[in-house]
Amino acid sequence: MKFGVPLGLVHPAAWKDVAVAADELGFESVWLPEHLVFATDLSLAHYPGTSDPGIKPGTPLFDAPAYLCWLAALTSRVRLGTAVQLLALRHPFVSARAFATLDVVSSGRAICGVGAGWYRGEWEAAGVEFRTRGARLDEAIEVVRRLWSEPVVTHTGRFYSFPEVAFEPKPVQRRLPVLAGGESAAALRRAARLCDGWISMPHTLESIKPQLDRLGAGVPVTAHAYALASPDEVPAWAALGVERLIVRPWSRSRDAVSRLAAFAADYGVGDTARGALAGGGDAL
């Protein structure tokens, strides 16, 4: 099992220390969420399934790929992912450039987690139609994949059209992983049809099973699992087809590094990676 760390669940002042600790302890990945902007009108900010605003307008926001580029310079092995990037809020040129840059400066450690988003306010503030965000995301994924892999690209689509362009440098990874977040039927279809895997919302072993049934077999799964009972639970996640668990073994930001160290010791985090490196293999 690969273990990831959700940087978005600690105070931004701790992101550097937590990322460096995750790298040193042998965690496989660190993950940043993103929003582009928060509107002060909270009537457009109700998180699905709740009656409460899902955002606080004064929350500091950072450009996730840019911040991960900085963390890439401070780490050497840990993978650097977004959970999730609102890819379709920007032109595909912008998104493709950001993740190609991250992959190059990190020597091939980027993971592009994407989602259609739930927060209408930022789409309207950016002047992008909220209703078509899923279809726009599907087309954006197609375009960025072509920019990352083809010598020259021209595209004529529903949302994006451009003449022949060159795009260099290409990512270091032959196929930079794109993972789809979201739990709607459309999001699960996107993960299975267009992407290299699915990123879940926070789940338990029981609560994730209906989504996995809808997702279907053979799709790599990254699950947010914040309530692991013990190391004995991990094989049950693996039996469901989950290949990566994003864990939060702390309750306060000030304890994040020490709790990561304790988790690593208890769950054997990094043992596989250290064994592979000792034997001349590639832990990533």
Side-chain angles (χ1 to χ4, degrees):
M1 182 63 70
K2 296 180 284 191
F3 291 98
V5 177
L7 296 180
L9 294 182
V10 292
H11 191 280
W15 287 357
K16 172 188 172 182
D17 291 342
V18 172
V20 170
D23 187 58
E24 293 175 346
L25 290 166
F27 284 84
E28 182 261 352
S29 50
V30 296
W31 301 81
L32 274 180
E34 79 104 20
H35 283 283
L36 186 60
V37 69
F38 287 156
T40 56
D41 179 2
L42 295 182
S43 68
L44 301 176
H46 290 154
Y47 192 78
T50 76
S51 59
D52 299 322
I55 60 99
K56 295 180 180 179
T59 301
L61 298 175
F62 297 88
D63 184 286
Y67 207 106
L68 291 170
C69 282
W70 181 58
L71 295 180
L74 303 172
T75 57
S76 60
R77 292 186 297 171
V78 72
R79 303 205 70 169
L80 306 154
T82 51
V84 290
Q85 182 85 357
L86 298 171
L87 199 75
L89 261 181
R90 305 153 176 87
H91 192 282
F93 290 164
V94 178
S95 301
R97 182 67 64 204
F99 283 93
T101 299
L102 173 59
D103 204 53
V104 169
V105 302
S106 68
S107 300
R109 291 186 279 145
I111 304 174
C112 180
V114 302
W118 61 271
Y119 172 40
R120 179 185 294 270
E122 66 184 323
W123 290 80
E124 294 189 355
V128 183
E129 187 178 29
F130 183 72
R131 180 181 59 86
T132 59
R133 68 196 186 284
R136 187 181 294 271
L137 173 58
D138 291 348
E139 187 175 334
I141 291 170
E142 174 191 350
V143 172
V144 299
R145 283 206 186 281
R146 293 187 63 203
L147 292 169
W148 289 337
S149 61
E150 298 178 18
V152 294
V153 178
T154 184
H155 180 80
T156 302
R158 177 181 174 187
F159 302 104
Y160 310 106
S161 296
F162 51 86
E164 186 174 272
V165 299
F167 185 93
E168 296 293 342
K170 304 299 186 194
V172 171
Q173 297 176 88
R174 185 179 298 274
R175 184 176 175 89
L176 196 162
V178 178
L179 309 184
E183 309 217 351
S184 67
L188 295 172
R189 287 194 300 268
R190 180 176 299 116
R193 182 171 57 90
L194 293 179
C195 296
D196 301 300
W198 176 59
I199 306 175
S200 82
M201 298 293 285
H203 276 292
T204 65
L205 274 169
E206 290 305 316
S207 70
I208 201 172
K209 289 178 181 177
Q211 284 78 4
L212 295 179
D213 289 342
R214 290 190 294 152
L215 181 65
V219 180
V221 174
T222 294
H224 286 81
Y226 299 157
L228 289 179
S230 75
D232 295 336
E233 188 179 316
V234 174
W237 287 92
L240 291 176
V242 176
E243 68 170 30
R244 178 188 290 114
L245 292 173
I246 299 179
V247 298
R248 182 196 182 184
W250 64 85
S251 58
R252 300 180 302 178
S253 293
R254 73 183 73 170
D255 300 325
V257 170
S258 62
R259 294 308 305 157
L260 279 180
F263 183 97
D266 292 343
Y267 283 75
V269 173
D271 288 351
T272 301
R274 285 189 288 269
L277 290 173
D282 187 345
L284 297 179

